[in-house]
Amino acid sequence: MKKILVTRKLLKECEEKASKMFDANLNSNDELYSQNNVIEMSQGCDGILSSLTDKMDAETINKLPESIKIISNFAVGFGNIDLEAAKKRGIAVTNTPDVLTDATAEIGILLILGACRRVPEGIQGAKDCNWKWSADYLIGKQLTGARLGILGMGRIGQKIARIAKSLGMIIHYHNRSKLSPDNDNGATYHDTLKSLMSVSDVLSVCCPASNETINLINKETLEYLPKGAVVTNVARGDIVDDEALIDALERRKVYAVGLDVYKGEPNLNPGYLKYKQAFILPHLGSATKETRTAMANLAIDNIEEYFKTGNCKNKVN
Ligand code: NAP
């Protein structure tokens, strides 16, 4: 039986499945392992079921035992893993696409609604019983007819686009490649970020974190937005230069932000906390029972498929 290290606690039925299929070293206390812990605990293991909280950089990967043949990441994003270093060591890396698309898109829409409709202020007012209905109380931005710019029109971006279109938004997007008319659902393609941002009343960041996208939303690119635009990020914190976004909020260049992800999680730039226009969530994208179960099962199945066939459809390196 193959032996695996599971770095984070999974839902109960998924841990049972992992234990049936493998000699699984589980983390029932859900301790956050350091890179050294992961290196030590993976001695004698054939694979690692990692999560986005595990920083698998080149140094860590190079110190993993020879026996490790696969890192199965419990996430669709794999910015936490140095793919090149893994490839050089002959370690396959897999992810969990598709199964988390719907849940994450729901949060993507929530971010748009929360930021546009002044939800942080509304919650505070309601909790404090410090409000009275009036014709101009907490007037927000209506989505009907507003232009939604999607940066990264992949699986999650396309699902957000479909929901937003049903709410009456007009969809624009930027990818490095244009979608076929079968997949774009009538959205307008922009071949540059500048062109996309200049028509985005609301921006939804949905692309992966990569060398190309780190700090892509920065002082210069934020200026491309129309004044009073809303910026939301359901993808990864590394894509946004926080100081620049906070400054744009301060200057009212940006009306509000909706954020699920941050640089250096679980910390976030404290600058956001000063603004009632910041609708902030603690990385809830895929957090539903159905989705977390499906993700863990897929991460387990990826390991099995790889050991059975020497390949895996969700291999990313
Ligand atoms: P996906 O299907 O691979 O879509 C990514 C999209 O981004 C593609 O359309 C891709 O198009 C575009 N893209 C990639 N690099 C780009 C660049 N440099 N400039 C412009 N566009 C670029 O991925 P997905 O399943 O939708 O997931 C997207 C991301 O969401 C993940 O990588 C993950 O980080 C994040 N996520 C967050 C949560 C959460 O809990 N908040 C949950 C799940 C996923 P081209 O290749 O044509 O450029």
Side-chain angles (χ1 to χ4, degrees):
M1 199 181 229
K2 296 285 186 192
K3 186 167 178 183
I4 63 167
L5 172 69
V6 181
T7 64
R8 297 296 305 270
K9 187 176 164 65
L10 306 174
L11 296 187
K12 192 167 171 280
E13 57 270 40
C14 305
E15 293 202 329
E16 284 167 4
K17 174 177 161 124
S19 295
K20 264 191 205 137
M21 292 169 63
F22 303 104
D23 175 3
N25 184 354
L26 303 173
N27 181 358
S28 38
N29 294 330
D30 205 24
E31 274 172 57
L32 272 185
Y33 295 152
S34 67
Q35 286 150 279
N36 278 339
N37 290 153
V38 171
I39 294 163
E40 280 164 23
M41 297 177 80
S42 57
Q43 297 299 322
C45 290
D46 303 287
I48 300 175
L49 198 158
S50 62
S51 95
L52 53 85
T53 54
D54 299 304
K55 192 169 177 224
M56 305 295 270
D57 56 13
E59 204 188 330
T60 308
I61 286 175
N62 288 334
K63 288 185 185 158
L64 290 175
E66 283 296 316
S67 56
I68 294 293
K69 298 295 175 221
I70 180 168
I71 299 172
S72 174
N73 211 35
F74 176 61
V76 69
F78 39 82
N80 57 311
I81 303 174
D82 188 321
L83 294 186
E84 274 310 302
K87 197 172 182 177
K88 273 192 201 142
R89 282 281 320 266
I91 299 174
V93 177
T94 60
N95 70 343
T96 61
D98 298 313
V99 294
L100 43 59
T101 298
D102 289 357
T104 309
E106 287 174 8
I107 292 291
I109 291 291
L110 180 62
L111 296 177
I112 295 171
L113 284 166
C116 287
R117 297 302 300 271
R118 304 177 65 173
V119 165
E121 291 165 88
I123 290 176
Q124 201 55 52
K127 279 187 174 168
D128 295 346
C129 298
N130 178 24
W131 61 282
K132 74 172 182 338
W133 187 93
S134 67
D136 62 357
Y137 177 61
L138 287 190
I139 285 189
K141 277 188 188 288
Q142 182 147 343
L143 301 190
T144 328
R147 297 167 299 177
L148 174 63
I150 297 188
L151 167 58
M153 185 78 135
R155 290 169 289 243
I156 295 167
Q158 287 174 40
K159 179 76 192 216
I160 289 175
R162 283 198 294 279
I163 303 171
K165 195 173 174 183
S166 77
L167 295 172
M169 299 190 86
I170 298 150
I171 315 298
H172 296 256
Y173 75 99
H174 168 62
N175 274 351
R176 290 163 304 181
S177 46
K178 190 173 190 277
L179 296 176
S180 71
D182 297 344
N183 292 329
D184 72 10
N185 196 17
T188 304
Y189 179 64
H190 295 259
D191 61 0
T192 64
L193 180 62
K194 181 175 187 177
S195 168
L196 175 77
M197 288 184 71
S198 67
V199 298
S200 297
D201 299 315
V202 180
L203 181 73
S204 174
V205 177
C206 301
C207 62
S210 68
N211 288 340
E212 278 177 52
T213 63
I214 285 178
N215 288 335
L216 199 54
I217 304 304
N218 57 40
K219 191 173 187 312
E220 183 190 337
T221 56
L222 283 165
E223 285 314 300
Y224 304 148
L225 289 168
K227 185 158 173 58
V230 168
V231 174
T232 66
N233 183 8
V234 74
R236 284 289 182 267
D238 284 334
I239 302 162
V240 172
D241 175 340
D242 294 311
E243 292 297 336
L245 186 54
I246 291 163
D247 178 60
L249 264 176
E250 174 67 30
R251 293 183 289 114
R252 310 293 289 162
K253 167 77 185 176
V254 163
Y255 172 84
V257 300
L259 306 172
D260 187 43
V261 285
Y262 309 90
K263 277 195 176 79
E265 292 175 11
N267 298 317
L268 57 93
N269 189 311
Y272 288 119
L273 305 179
K274 284 192 281 178
Y275 295 92
K276 50 188 195 273
Q277 299 87 351
F279 178 65
I280 53 176
L281 298 176
H283 204 143
L284 294 183
S286 62
T288 66
K289 185 168 187 223
E290 296 86 337
T291 294
R292 288 284 162 81
T293 303
M295 286 166 68
N297 286 341
L298 185 54
I300 294 164
D301 291 343
N302 284 340
I303 301 177
E304 194 200 22
E305 185 185 344
Y306 188 72
F307 282 132
K308 267 196 179 149
T309 68
N311 211 338
C312 177
K313 65 177 181 308
N314 296 320
K315 190 168 171 291
V316 292
N317 66 338

